[in-house]
Amino acid sequence: MQSGKVRIALALKGIDYETVPINLIKDGGQQFSKEFQTLNPMKQVPALRIDGLIIGQSLAIIDYLEETRPTPRLLPQDPKKRASVREISNLIASSIQPLENLSVLKQVGKENQLTWAQKVIASGFTALEQILQKTAGKYCVGDEVSMAYLCLVPQVANAERFKVDLTPYPTISHINKTLLTLEAFQVSHPCRQPS
Amino acid sequence: MQSGKVRIALALKGIDYETVPINLIKDGGQQFSKEFQTLNPMKQVPALRIDGLIIGQSLAIIDYLEETRPTPRLLPQDPKKRASVREISNLIASSIQPLENLSVLKQVGKENQLTWAQKVIASGFTALEQILQKTAGKYCVGDEVSMAYLCLVPQVANAERFKVDLTPYPTISHINKTLLTLEAFQVSHPCRQPS
């Protein structure tokens, strides 16, 4: 799921790639293998090998793809709109997602995981809903597809996995539904991935 | 401390600004006030009001400053080096910092806070040390000052606050010491800020 953003970016930009599935649970977590650690010392997915580089961190990968393969664009041309897209993307990638990833949930303990994840997502979505009510058009910021959607769709899928009630977030739900009709989101949906 | 990155960016770029101190502990946390929430619905510092915009999320703010006030640059010109800078910045901003911020520490409980924070930082620094051993010159990526340093210096200060032993991270420690001699890092050091 954490690789979702990158898979959607690759699909939107029409970049062919080979997937090496890393099962985060099997064998005690394949991300801890020596082989994977040479790819990404942070022991987290995703890591992308491209142009002789290995890049970790989803947003860093997407920025590199945007700078080297600019079509179709994932950031608006207007700097103010770019700032909104980056604020939304970072809010999800830095203030929600890291707090509900597998290593944190392990620390929190099995009996508290669901409540913890729900609280983290609800707090982030309350902020996100307020921001999107100001910025959204057809999508997160106006009517352009952008990096922000790449972050939103996998995060809403996570919220559903943790049974978060989405009723208080009508703008988030509406944009997510619109985005899911795009082909790039369909080919990269988690249920289509090798496990 | 979470505003450190932005303060250093503003200082490096010579941008004058007015600080409104938000005490995260006083009055039950001033970031929860209605007034601050209209600035940043995420109830987190920092938020920057600039050019008629209000931007939350440190890296989104720094990217906006870089795009609208490009001198001196905080991202290298070469896309591959930019990717390294962004990977390091995001590793700190997404995989370390959110896990040791005040709201998470509250959830973890007083008696477990120190162990939790130390574990999070040690895990992140182990990865960061490996990455920096490949990318570093005088600074994080080669010899240019960049966004990555803005993230590194406040994070090392946090590590020291949580009494993390820095001996296993010689590259991190060395770069941090070199950076601390720069004027921008001195004027924006936490001990110089209003409380």
Side-chain angles (χ1 to χ4, degrees), chain A residues 37-44 50-57 59-60 63-64 67-68 75 78-84 86-88 90-99 101 103-104 107-108 116 119-120 123-124 126-128 130-131 134, chain B residues 37-44 50-57 59-60 63-64 67-68 75 78-84 86-88 90-99 101 103-104 107-108 116 119-120 123-124 126-128 130-131 134:
Chain A
Q37 283 185 47
T38 57
L39 281 178
N40 187 359
M42 200 58 215
K43 305 168 205 163
Q44 290 175 342
I50 188 168
D51 304 339
L53 271 185
I54 298 166
I55 319 175
Q57 300 289 328
L59 294 188
D63 265 306
Y64 180 77
E67 288 175 358
T68 57
L75 282 167
D78 171 38
K80 292 187 181 180
K81 285 191 181 162
R82 289 166 82 91
S84 287
R86 289 193 189 279
E87 180 179 10
I88 294 166
N90 278 285
L91 190 158
I92 296 171
S94 297
S95 299
I96 306 180
Q97 194 273 320
L99 301 177
N101 81 9
S103 64
V104 175
Q107 290 279 343
V108 169
W116 170 284
K119 199 172 166 177
V120 162
S123 155
T126 303
L128 193 57
Q130 280 183 59
I131 294 172
K134 287 184 195 156
Chain B
Q37 282 187 46
T38 57
L39 281 177
N40 187 358
M42 201 55 215
K43 303 170 209 165
Q44 289 175 342
I50 188 168
D51 304 340
L53 272 183
I54 298 166
I55 319 174
Q57 299 289 329
L59 294 187
D63 266 307
Y64 180 76
E67 288 175 357
T68 55
L75 282 167
D78 171 37
K80 292 186 180 180
K81 285 192 181 162
R82 289 166 81 92
S84 287
R86 289 192 188 279
E87 180 179 10
I88 295 165
N90 278 285
L91 190 158
I92 296 171
S94 295
S95 299
I96 306 179
Q97 192 273 319
L99 301 177
N101 81 10
S103 64
V104 175
Q107 290 279 342
V108 168
W116 170 283
K119 199 170 167 179
V120 163
S123 156
T126 303
L128 193 57
Q130 280 185 59
I131 294 172
K134 288 185 194 154

Side-chain angles (χ1 to χ4, degrees), chain B residues 146-158:
Chain B
S146 80
M147 185 194 275
Y149 323 122
L150 276 56
C151 299
L152 187 75
V153 170
Q155 186 56 57
V156 173
N158 257 8

Side-chain angles (χ1 to χ4, degrees), chain A residues 12-152:
Chain A
L12 278 169
K13 288 185 177 288
I15 302 167
D16 274 337
Y17 62 98
E18 187 192 339
T19 303
V20 181
I22 301 294
N23 190 311
L24 302 182
I25 295 165
K26 207 172 152 186
D27 308 329
Q30 295 174 341
Q31 72 277 26
F32 299 113
S33 74
K34 274 202 177 156
E35 200 187 342
F36 186 73
Q37 283 185 47
T38 57
L39 281 178
N40 187 359
M42 200 58 215
K43 305 168 205 163
Q44 290 175 342
V45 292
L48 183 70
R49 192 197 298 265
I50 188 168
D51 304 339
L53 271 185
I54 298 166
I55 319 175
Q57 300 289 328
S58 304
L59 294 188
I61 296 173
I62 295 168
D63 265 306
Y64 180 77
L65 294 177
E66 181 72 1
E67 288 175 358
T68 57
R69 281 99 173 147
T71 312
R73 54 167 57 248
L74 295 178
L75 282 167
Q77 258 180 311
D78 171 38
K80 292 187 181 180
K81 285 191 181 162
R82 289 166 82 91
S84 287
V85 167
R86 289 193 189 279
E87 180 179 10
I88 294 166
S89 305
N90 278 285
L91 190 158
I92 296 171
S94 297
S95 299
I96 306 180
Q97 194 273 320
L99 301 177
E100 35 113 271
N101 81 9
L102 202 62
S103 64
V104 175
L105 293 180
K106 264 188 194 165
Q107 290 279 343
V108 169
K110 234 178 186 171
E111 66 286 10
N112 303 318
Q113 284 180 0
L114 193 67
T115 322
W116 170 284
Q118 287 176 340
K119 199 172 166 177
V120 162
I121 296 172
S123 155
F125 274 19
T126 303
L128 193 57
E129 178 70 21
Q130 280 183 59
I131 294 172
L132 289 176
Q133 282 180 3
K134 287 184 195 156
T135 61
K138 191 172 169 191
Y139 302 126
C140 295
V141 180
D143 295 330
E144 287 177 85
V145 164
S146 80
M147 185 193 275
Y149 322 123
L150 276 57
C151 299
L152 188 75

Side-chain angles (χ1 to χ4, degrees), chain B residues 1 3-12 17 19 184 188-190 193:
Chain B
M1 178 56 71
S3 306
K5 297 192 264 300
V6 173
R7 282 200 301 263
I8 304 168
L10 291 163
L12 278 169
Y17 62 99
T19 303
S188 53
H189 199 273
Q193 301 313 309

